[in-house]
Every structure is written in structure tokens, then in C-alpha cells.
Amino acid sequence: MTIGTHADQSVEDGRKDQLHTLEHQGLLYHGERELLAAALPHLRAGVDAGDATFAVAGKAETEALRDSLGRDAAAVQFMDPSELYKNPVRAMAAFTAVARTLGPRPAWVLVADDWSNKPDVKEWMRYDSIVNLAFASRDFRGFCCYNAENLTPEAIAMVRRTHPKMVESGSLRDNPDYMDPQSFVADLDRQPLPPSPHSAVSMQIRPTDLHTVRAFVTEQAKRCGVAGDALHNLLVAVTEVATNAIRHGGAPVTLRAWPDDGLICEITDSGHWQPEELLTWTPPESALEAGFGLWGVGMLCDTVRVRTGSKGTTVRLRTCA
């Protein structure tokens, strides 16, 4: 083989062009056989390349992958989704930490988690869309596998909108249903939140009496079985959002609370301070940076949903029991 030919140079240039570019593909599978048929080649490609290779999967899926990989399983780092996916912002922070640790080195990531039992599934789909922005310059080969038997038609449609490529009939194809993240996020934010129930309890938030706010939340949380660290985190989050509403919004500022897979706390005001789509999703460079509070709130609660419109801004926090 002749070294330094134009053909070799073209190959090398092509490799350079592929560096630091996210690959984010999806799979809607039916049954274990379809999952393994698509997942095993992905994991083995990472192992054969000598790259960092991760599998985030539930117990049954992990056992099936380990058995099928055989000796190659030792080269794959298996991760528990119940730990990694405590909430969307924590998941983003975890993968950001992995990216910083690896630096320019490539990584192969397989995710096979059942998202159907998570509250506020749309916020997890928002996360999946923002991944395309947050890691656009990273050499990550991400493969998200969803058990279609557990997903609603709406969730399946959102899977298709958040993955540039899909594996269908055993082949990787460009996905015509994919939406760029800005459009996807904007579409979500145009959808109103479900109304709070008539049984919700409420109080007006006064700037000089946040102690009463914390006492109110504590009482409601205890009724819903939210205690310990979860209650502490919720109190910090509600205080932060209430402070933001007072500073950036307008009176009246109202707090509502009601039970729903734990406790939901909702703060509304008459201002307009919708954050940029990435502001609450990426760790700030310092505590002084604008948006640190909202990012911290996202780390503390299971989900955070923000809507702003002609009548003001609403921030809805969910903490599961």
C-alpha cells in the first residue's frame, strides 16, 4: 500500500470531519429479539473500537445483553437507569460529566429504559431533544431503544421527533419526522399545562414571608408522603422559584399544591421570564451566572415545567414520594 496518496488523504479528511459529531439514533422495538438484534451490533462496535462503551438498561434488558455479549460484556460499563435517570436535568448533568471525563475520546452509549412509567413524559422527551444540542460537538454514538409496547401513540410520535436517525427493519435510516430541538421545545412550550385540580390548596406569596411558604409546603408534603431529603430539596426549590417570581415577575404571586404521584407545587405570577431552552438544562460555569437558580431547581425536583404567556408565568414542580 502506498502511503500518502490522494485516496488516503481523503479518507483521513473524512475521519477528521466525523470527529466530535454526535450520532443520536432511536429504535422502537417489539420484544427482546428485536432489541438484541439492534443493540448488540452497536455495543460490539464500541468494544471492537476500544472506545468507552456504556449500556443503560433495566434488569431484564441488562441480563439479556450480558448473556448475548458473552466475553464482550466485560468491556461494557452497565449502568442502572433508576440511578442515572432520577430526573431529566440530573441525567443531563451525568452525561455532561462523562463527556468532560472522556474529553475528545469517543463513547458508545446504549439506552434501553422504560420511560412509560415516568411522570411528565413530555419533559423526558424534551431532554431527549435537547441532547441533540447539548452534545452536538461530542463524539458520542447514542442509541436510544424504546419498548413500543409500553408507549402511548403520543410518546411514540415524540420519539420520532427527537432522533435524527431511526433503526427500522434492521437498517439505520434518516428520520423524516425529526424536528430540530428549537422547534420541538417551542412546540412543547406552546402546549398549556393541564389545569390544577379544584382540590388544590393555595396561598399568596409575600416577599417578606417565605417562612410561611416553607411551612405551607411542609404540611402538604407530609400529607403526600414526601419527607427526608426529598422534602428538603423541594423546600429549597420552591423558595428559589418564589424568589425568582418576586424579582422577575409581578404580583400577585400564588402558590398552589396538590397530590399527584407525590406532590406538585405550582408558582404563578403576572410576569414573563421564560428561560432559554438550555438555560435550565446545562450546569452554569459559576454560582453567579444567571439561571443558576433554575438549573438548581431542575436538579432538586423530579420534573420542572415552565410556561409563560399573556397572563404571566407558571412554574410547576413535581416531587415524587
Side-chain angles (χ1 to χ4, degrees), residues 228-311:
D229 290 342
L231 173 56
H232 172 76
N233 291 345
L234 177 60
L235 292 175
V236 174
V238 169
T239 301
E240 182 64 35
V241 174
T243 301
N244 274 347
I246 292 167
R247 290 177 178 174
H248 305 296
V253 179
T254 303
L255 169 62
R256 295 181 182 87
W258 64 92
D260 187 341
D261 290 328
L263 181 66
I264 292 180
C265 292
E266 177 182 274
I267 296 94
T268 60
D269 63 74
S270 60
H272 308 279
W273 52 284
Q274 173 77 26
E276 297 178 7
E277 67 270 9
L278 281 177
L279 191 60
T280 59
W281 287 83
T282 54
E285 294 299 325
S286 74
L288 298 178
E289 188 173 317
F292 175 80
L294 286 178
W295 177 80
V297 168
M299 292 286 286
L300 294 171
C301 297
D302 288 284
T303 55
V304 178
R305 306 175 74 178
V306 182
R307 295 291 188 275
T308 191
S310 59
K311 295 182 179 180

Side-chain angles (χ1 to χ4, degrees), residues 37 50 59 61 68 89-90 98 121 146 151 189 223 241 262 283 285 297 318:
K59 183 177 180 180
E61 292 80 6
S68 300
V89 178
R90 282 182 180 268
V98 170
V121 169
Y146 300 88
L151 298 179
D189 289 338
R223 294 178 179 179
V241 174
E285 294 299 325
V297 168
R318 180 191 293 277

Side-chain angles (χ1 to χ4, degrees), residues 63-125:
E63 290 178 355
L65 290 168
R66 284 187 182 276
D67 290 344
S68 300
L69 284 169
R71 293 181 179 179
D72 285 340
V76 177
Q77 182 175 341
F78 287 88
M79 306 174 73
D80 183 353
S82 66
E83 293 297 324
L84 183 63
Y85 291 129
K86 286 185 178 295
N87 71 39
V89 178
R90 282 182 180 268
M92 186 72 73
F95 279 115
T96 299
V98 170
R100 289 174 177 171
T101 299
L102 291 174
R105 289 178 293 164
W108 299 69
V109 182
L110 175 84
V111 178
D113 185 27
D114 184 3
W115 298 47
S116 63
N117 60 1
K118 295 183 181 298
D120 302 332
V121 169
K122 289 182 180 180
E123 292 309 299
W124 285 97
M125 293 301 174

Side-chain angles (χ1 to χ4, degrees), residues 140-281:
F140 276 16
R141 289 85 186 269
F143 190 16
C144 301
C145 304
Y146 300 88
N147 188 342
E149 296 173 357
N150 295 335
L151 298 179
T152 65
E154 183 182 27
I156 288 174
M158 286 193 289
V159 168
R160 295 188 178 278
R161 294 187 190 117
T162 54
H163 295 81
K165 294 180 181 291
M166 296 288 294
V167 175
E168 297 179 328
S169 301
S171 299
L172 181 62
R173 302 172 181 175
D174 289 334
N175 177 18
D177 297 325
Y178 174 69
M179 293 177 64
D180 69 89
Q182 289 93 342
S183 298
F184 183 83
V185 168
D187 184 58
L188 282 184
D189 289 338
R190 281 191 293 268
Q191 300 174 22
L193 295 174
S196 59
H198 294 297
S199 58
V201 293
S202 65
M203 65 167 291
Q204 297 297 307
I205 298 177
R206 296 179 176 82
T208 58
D209 195 13
L210 291 177
H211 173 77
T212 301
V213 170
R214 290 188 285 269
F216 174 87
V217 172
T218 298
E219 180 182 356
Q220 302 308 315
K222 288 181 177 179
R223 294 178 179 179
C224 300
V226 176
D229 290 342
L231 173 56
H232 172 76
N233 291 345
L234 177 60
L235 292 175
V236 174
V238 169
T239 301
E240 182 64 35
V241 174
T243 301
N244 274 347
I246 292 167
R247 290 177 178 174
H248 305 296
V253 179
T254 303
L255 169 62
R256 295 181 182 87
W258 64 92
D260 187 341
D261 290 328
L263 181 66
I264 292 180
C265 292
E266 177 182 274
I267 296 94
T268 60
D269 63 74
S270 60
H272 308 279
W273 52 284
Q274 173 77 26
E276 297 178 7
E277 67 270 9
L278 281 177
L279 191 60
T280 59
W281 287 83

